[in-house]
Amino acid sequence: QVQLAESGGGLVQPGGSLRLSCTASGSDFSINAMGWYRQAPGKERELVAVLRNSGLSNYADSVKGRFTISRDNAKNMVFLQMNSLKPEDTDVYSCYAGGFYWGSDAVYDYWGRGTQVTVSS
């Protein structure tokens, strides 16, 4: 099994910044990608950003130019630097990790509990 531990959420004013962190832990699991999702009430779950082992990244259009994803592969960590935050960014942000176990050909996806980000005056 893989466990994901998130931190860094909080309350920030519009235009402010936050940096989310996530650490993945587990045995015999090879991570191919890590990222961040969010789901606000009344909306479908949205991919915020993902960073593959190859270095390719993808961002939601709504956060391009404001958010930056990065990883520390040696520590199985992923970060999300969020700048110029807007009230619309308010949500629970969940860490994601995808990969496979060395003894299996199946792909597995894991999700963290989430960390609350609130952007308000």
Side-chain angles (χ1 to χ4, degrees):
Q1 294 183 336
V2 173
Q3 296 178 347
L4 300 173
E6 302 125 319
S7 63
L11 175 64
V12 65
Q13 297 183 45
S17 298
L18 286 173
R19 188 173 190 251
L20 306 183
S21 300
C22 173
T23 303
S25 61
S27 299
D28 300 321
F29 190 77
S30 180
I31 294 174
N32 292 331
M34 297 189 74
W36 297 90
Y37 284 78
R38 66 186 183 187
Q39 186 174 20
K43 294 184 178 181
E44 297 295 323
R45 186 175 62 187
E46 176 189 29
L47 173 66
V48 179
V50 64
L51 181 58
R52 303 178 180 89
N53 290 5
S54 65
L56 294 176
S57 61
N58 193 25
Y59 294 89
D61 289 340
S62 60
V63 308
K64 288 180 179 177
R66 300 188 297 120
F67 292 8
T68 303
I69 188 171
S70 61
R71 288 172 60 183
D72 184 337
N73 294 332
K75 297 181 179 180
N76 286 334
M77 296 187 70
V78 63
F79 309 91
L80 187 67
Q81 179 66 46
M82 304 185 294
N83 298 326
S84 302
L85 283 163
K86 305 175 181 179
E88 302 94 285
D89 297 319
T90 296
D91 207 344
V92 175
Y93 286 71
S94 298
C95 180
Y96 163 82
F100 65 94
Y101 291 95
W102 289 108
S104 175
D105 293 328
V107 176
Y108 293 84
D109 299 314
Y110 291 94
W111 309 90
R113 296 178 302 173
T115 183
Q116 178 69 49
V117 172
T118 303
V119 185
S120 177
S121 300

